[in-house]
Every structure is written in structure tokens, then in C-alpha cells.
Amino acid sequence: MKYEKEINRRKTFAIISHPDAGKTTLTEKFLLFGGAIQTAGAVKSNKIKKHATSDFMEIERQRGISVATSVMTFEYQDNLINLLDTPGHKDFAEDTYRTLTAVDSVVLVIDSVNGVEDQTRRLMEVCRMRDTPVIVFINKMDRDGKNRFDLLEEIEKELKLSLHPLTWPINSGKDFKGVYNLHDKSLLLFTANTKANEEGSVAIEDLADARLDAKVGESDANILREDVELIEGVYGKLNPADYLAGKVAPVFFGSAINNFGVKELLDTFIDIAPVPRDRETSSRNVEAGEDKFSGFIFKIHANLDPKHRDRIAFLRVCSGRFERNKYFHHVRLDRDLRFSNPYSFLARSKDVIDDAYAGDVVGLFDTGNFKIGDTLTEGEDFYFTGIPSFSPEIFKELVNKDPMKTKQLEKGIRQLTDEGVAQLFTQFGGNKKIIGCVGELQFEVIQYRLLHEYSAACEFRTLPFFKACWLTSTDDKKLEDFLRFKQSNSAEDKDGNPVYLAQSEWFLNTEIQNNPDIQFHFTSEIHK
């Protein structure tokens, strides 16, 4: 355990939520407290010229949404925090699901006006697959929303999550007066349109204190006393072990855009959030404190900087120490690679680093060596498991509009699908290219990026497929016959695995019944 001190000061987490609940705004405020940026940018506004740091792609700025996960590293109170801001729109859910495999804990943002939404449920299911610890932040308390008790009940019922409030709001909407911190017994007062600061915080050990009445008015003070008595009676003290096991989620109330209640969240997070954890691999369990280095690629991003055509692979370090200019073993290609410029990130701006420890996210220059799910080690052969790719729901054929740019289009689509934006299936020996996505918005993003980053114009033709299934079989002859008979419905993914494209649910069920020797899979584990 020679790296124990370094590993124990690292926290790696992602911020997830339904679209527009305030993830990117909360990220900005975290960076502000960590001193990484001096002024927080706004996500969308005509007057404000400074955009949010984490939305750096041109398309994200125009639409005011996040399209890709961005990675930011900052220091706060002698802890090194790796923060991943994820897209909320379900069209980009796959990027978010894969990001969740690379983090140790999650902050879930819930909009107090809308409560629990569709995407919130789907994200919680992915967290539950791996028992990831969750902290809930209930945002937009300065807008008229649902009753606070109803909100807690809705979250517990809908997400099947046990909650434990650590701060409690005084009123909401226009009458929002502030939050009372149950954890360290202090009162934080809210004044609209001003930033929260130290002076607004008053330590009130005993709620019977007359200063409380003076600060928030008698009726609100009495409601707060009743609420707190009820909550402390029901919930008692927070047990950190239950949180780390993913059984209990601490809850905070606040308003990210007014910078309110964010510092309490960050301080508590640093106290209780998990340090880097052990990982399952194909051969053994890898502990974070081991001396030997290991890590895996969870995301690839092309053209991070529009001035240079480059590709960066994001590596999550799982154990040991990553060093610059040292040779590491690439398991899939079975060769040794050396990295002379590894980066740490603040969205688009990056700094070269000399070393990184378990829990860190490092950017590596990629010249086409990496795919999502690749493992790097110091010579041992194993793969990190549990990095899925999901069956797409919408299929379109890629049609080239400019025959002179065929080469650019091929290169562009290959790079974008390596990034995991969408899945590429080829038919009839590679002539017909089919793109599979989870949502419509992704096709617009692909078309936009092909035109602007590769100057290749293309259009899409919708295809009548319902789902893609990966095929495996113990009997190769039967699989070959099946693919020959179903030639118009069969394709290969970009790794050469056979895929069956079903026209409807009825067709799919019929084929599954007629071919008992062939297994149909809806997700493809990148490493079996």
C-alpha cells in the first residue's frame, strides 16, 4: 500500500439527472468553490457571454444542452475531485451509462418543481446494477414546487431509495427563507438574486433559541421546529456504512443557480463519499491499493479541440500508479504502448501530468489503438468486466451526398462510432452502412459533426427495423445457414460480430422459437 495517502484523497463522481434539472449549473458551482474557475458561466442566456465550462462543443452552446460527458478535475480542502458532468437527454443515455461504470459515487439532481421524471428512473436502475452510493440534491427551491414531504415520499416510492435528509428547507418558492443544516446544526439564510456567502450562515445549536424567530419570523420558526423534531424522530443519525453500501441516500435542498446549499453538499460529500473501490476483472478482483498499474478506457472523444484533428481516450485508473513515458501493456492488441503527453482536464483545457493514481481520469492521445472497454496493465492479461453496449432503437441507412468526399465520410463515421455516439452495422460485404441510435437527436448530432469536423455531407434514410440482436451459437454451421437465409436482415457490427435486425417483435419471437440452437442477446458485453 505505498500509494495509500494519494488514493485516500481522491473522490471520483458523476452528476446525473433528467434533462434541465440543473446538472451543468451545479457543476459550475462546484468548480467555483474549488477555485477552478473565477466566474460561473450560464447554460443558456442571450445576455451572458460566458458559457458553462463543461458545455464546450459548438452544438452544446447553440442548444443550451449537454451532449457529451465532460471530465473536470479540481482540488477542494486538500482532496482531489474528479467530476464528470453527463448529458441528461435520453438520446445520449449510452454515454451516461458508460460513464457510471467509471465512477465510485453519484450525485442525483432532482427538480423540486417536476419531481421524479422518466430519465431519473432509468439512471437509478443503472446505479443499482452496481450498488453505486447516491447523494440526492433537490434543486430549484426558489421556485414554487411540490411540498417537501410529498417530494421525499415520491422519491422513495418511485426510485425505491431510502432517503435521509441532512438539510431542511424553510418554505419554498417566493417565500423561500433558507435551509437548516441538521448535520452541523446551523441555519443558512437565503436572499434572492445574491450569492450565498459565509455571513449568511448562523450557528443555532438549539432550535428553541429566540434568534431563530428573529431571523425567519415566528410562524416559519415554529413550522421548522415541528419538521425537525419529526425528521430527527423518524431518521435519527446517518450511518455512513449504509450510504457506502448504496442502501441509504443523504438528501440536500438548495438552488444551484443562486449558489445556495451547494457548499453544504460539497462539504458533506468530502466527508462521506467513498475513496476508489476494488474492481471485478475477467480473472480476479483488482484492489485499488495494489502496487501494479491497471485501468480501462470508458470513453473516446474525437476533435476535442476544433483547431486540431485529434482523438482522446479517457482512461480510468483502477490500481497502482500511471506514469508518463512508461510502457504499459495493451491487452487486446497484445503490445506495449507509451504515452508522452497524458492529460488531466477541465472540460476542453487540459494540462500535461506526470503521474496519476487509482480513481483518476486521464486523457491519452489515441492514434486508433483504443476501443471502449480496452484494458491497460503492467503486463498481466485480464479485462475489466461490466462495460455494456445496448441494443439501439432507431435504425437509418447512411447515404453519401458528395461522392468526392467518400473517404472523409468513411473516416468520420468510423471515428464517431468508435466514440460510442452510435453503433455502426454493415451489410453485404460493407457496402450498406446502417447507423443504430437510442434517440433521434443523435442523428442530428452525427450529421452536424460529420459536416463541421470532417466536411462530409450525408443524409439518413429510415429503415423499418425494430431491434438489433447479437447472435451466438455453439453450432457454427447453423449460425452460418441462418445468416445466409436472412441475408437482408443480417449485418455485422464494427468488431465483426453477427447481428440480426428484426423488423418487429413478432418476427423476433418467431425466429427465437424456430432457432433453439442460436442465442439472441439484447446487450453485448464488450468483454465476455
Side-chain angles (χ1 to χ4, degrees), residues 258-467:
N258 292 307
N259 211 348
F260 192 79
V262 178
K263 190 171 185 301
E264 289 67 36
L265 170 64
L266 197 54
D267 289 345
T268 311
F269 173 80
I270 282 194
D271 269 357
I272 63 176
V275 293
R277 308 205 281 179
D278 302 350
R279 294 267 162 173
E280 280 300 317
T281 69
S282 51
S283 64
R284 63 187 183 88
N285 192 13
V286 169
E287 292 175 17
E290 289 183 17
D291 292 349
K292 293 233 159 143
F293 162 81
S294 69
F296 67 91
I297 305 289
F298 66 94
K299 173 183 159 63
I300 292 172
H301 197 125
N303 311 326
L304 208 61
D305 182 347
K307 296 190 191 70
H308 304 282
R309 292 282 167 257
D310 57 358
R311 250 173 68 154
I312 287 197
F314 289 78
L315 170 88
R316 153 79 202 227
V317 184
C318 298
S319 70
R321 177 174 172 217
F322 173 87
E323 289 172 70
R324 182 175 163 186
N325 285 330
K326 184 172 171 180
Y327 279 99
F328 290 117
H329 181 62
H330 185 314
V331 178
R332 182 175 56 88
L333 296 179
D334 195 20
R335 54 184 248 227
D336 292 348
L337 302 173
R338 186 174 71 125
F339 304 98
S340 51
N341 294 355
Y343 286 113
S344 80
F345 289 94
L346 184 69
R348 179 191 267 169
S349 52
K350 35 191 202 280
D351 299 311
V352 176
I353 52 164
D354 286 323
D355 52 8
Y357 299 91
D360 281 342
V361 173
V362 182
L364 306 174
F365 264 120
D366 175 23
T367 49
N369 294 323
F370 289 119
K371 288 183 181 168
I372 286 169
D374 278 350
T375 301
L376 284 176
T377 64
E378 282 197 33
E380 222 180 321
D381 277 349
F382 57 73
Y383 286 112
F384 287 96
T385 52
I387 306 163
S389 65
F390 298 89
S391 173
E393 289 161 24
I394 309 171
F395 299 89
K396 296 193 179 184
E397 184 189 347
L398 180 73
V399 183
N400 189 356
K401 277 163 101 175
D402 180 359
M404 303 297 286
K405 297 270 190 206
T406 310
K407 213 166 169 186
Q408 281 88 328
L409 183 74
E410 298 236 340
K411 181 183 169 192
I413 202 68
R414 165 98 22 206
Q415 291 207 348
L416 290 183
T417 48
D418 275 354
E419 242 181 80
V421 178
Q423 293 178 42
L424 176 67
F425 303 109
T426 50
Q427 259 186 327
F428 308 127
N431 295 344
K432 193 171 172 186
K433 290 187 168 43
I434 298 170
I435 307 280
C437 283
V438 184
E440 277 292 338
L441 203 57
Q442 271 172 299
F443 289 108
E444 291 181 32
V445 172
I446 290 174
Q447 202 167 3
Y448 182 93
R449 289 186 59 186
L450 280 173
L451 191 61
H452 288 259
E453 295 174 12
Y454 300 94
S455 60
C458 69
E459 59 186 16
F460 293 109
R461 288 191 196 138
T462 311
L463 296 170
F465 296 130
F466 153 77
K467 240 189 169 41

Side-chain angles (χ1 to χ4, degrees), residues 37-295:
I37 52 176
Q38 301 313 299
T39 49
V43 178
K44 192 162 198 177
S45 160
N46 299 335
K47 296 194 187 77
I48 301 178
K49 285 285 174 274
K50 181 172 182 345
H51 283 283
T53 315
S54 59
D55 286 355
F56 58 83
M57 280 154 72
E58 190 57 41
I59 190 162
E60 293 180 310
R61 301 192 165 181
Q62 286 173 6
R63 297 189 175 209
I65 59 170
S66 301
V67 171
T69 303
S70 44
V71 183
M72 281 144 290
T73 307
F74 64 95
E75 291 215 14
Y76 182 72
Q77 293 181 2
D78 202 38
N79 279 293
L80 192 78
I81 299 179
N82 295 304
L83 162 62
L84 292 94
D85 178 29
T86 63
H89 290 264
K90 85 168 202 300
D91 301 18
F92 309 105
E94 202 157 325
D95 195 22
T96 306
Y97 296 155
R98 268 200 299 265
T99 302
L100 291 178
T101 60
V103 297
D104 299 311
S105 64
V106 162
V107 172
L108 174 67
V109 184
I110 289 178
D111 180 340
S112 74
V113 184
N114 299 333
V116 175
E117 297 165 278
D118 294 344
Q119 195 55 25
T120 327
R121 291 187 197 95
R122 287 175 67 175
L123 289 163
M124 268 316 295
E125 281 165 26
V126 179
C127 290
R128 220 168 266 114
M129 278 156 63
R130 316 191 38 199
D131 291 331
T132 312
V134 178
I135 291 183
V136 179
F137 181 70
I138 296 177
N139 193 13
K140 307 194 182 178
M141 286 309 293
D142 54 331
R143 298 199 186 169
D144 293 309
K146 304 186 174 185
N147 174 305
R148 49 200 181 277
F149 281 110
D150 294 349
L151 206 56
L152 291 184
E153 189 183 5
E154 181 186 344
I155 297 169
E156 293 209 321
K157 207 168 76 200
E158 291 276 339
L159 301 179
K160 302 180 187 58
L161 198 65
S162 311
L163 299 179
H164 193 119
L166 289 183
T167 61
W168 193 251
I170 303 165
N171 266 331
S172 69
K174 292 184 191 66
D175 306 325
F176 183 50
K177 302 263 177 80
V179 291
Y180 180 70
N181 192 333
L182 302 162
H183 189 58
D184 52 9
K185 306 269 185 285
S186 64
L187 180 73
L188 196 65
L189 297 173
F190 175 76
T191 30
N193 303 327
T194 58
K195 296 278 183 272
N197 54 20
E198 296 297 322
E199 294 105 64
S201 172
V202 186
I204 297 182
E205 291 295 327
D206 181 15
L207 282 176
D209 196 326
R211 282 186 307 163
L212 184 63
D213 299 311
K215 292 281 184 194
V216 299
E218 196 172 330
S219 66
D220 281 340
N222 288 331
I223 294 173
L224 178 68
R225 288 181 184 121
E226 283 170 29
D227 283 358
V228 169
E229 195 178 332
L230 179 67
I231 284 166
E232 289 186 336
V234 173
Y235 292 103
K237 276 202 117 29
L238 174 72
N239 178 5
D242 287 345
Y243 156 72
L244 292 177
K247 289 179 191 151
V248 170
V251 181
F252 292 85
F253 291 85
S255 157
I257 197 148
N258 292 307
N259 211 348
F260 192 79
V262 178
K263 190 171 185 301
E264 289 67 36
L265 170 64
L266 197 54
D267 289 345
T268 311
F269 173 80
I270 282 194
D271 269 357
I272 63 176
V275 293
R277 308 205 281 179
D278 302 350
R279 294 267 162 173
E280 280 300 317
T281 69
S282 51
S283 64
R284 63 187 183 88
N285 192 13
V286 169
E287 292 175 17
E290 289 183 17
D291 292 349
K292 293 233 159 143
F293 162 81
S294 69

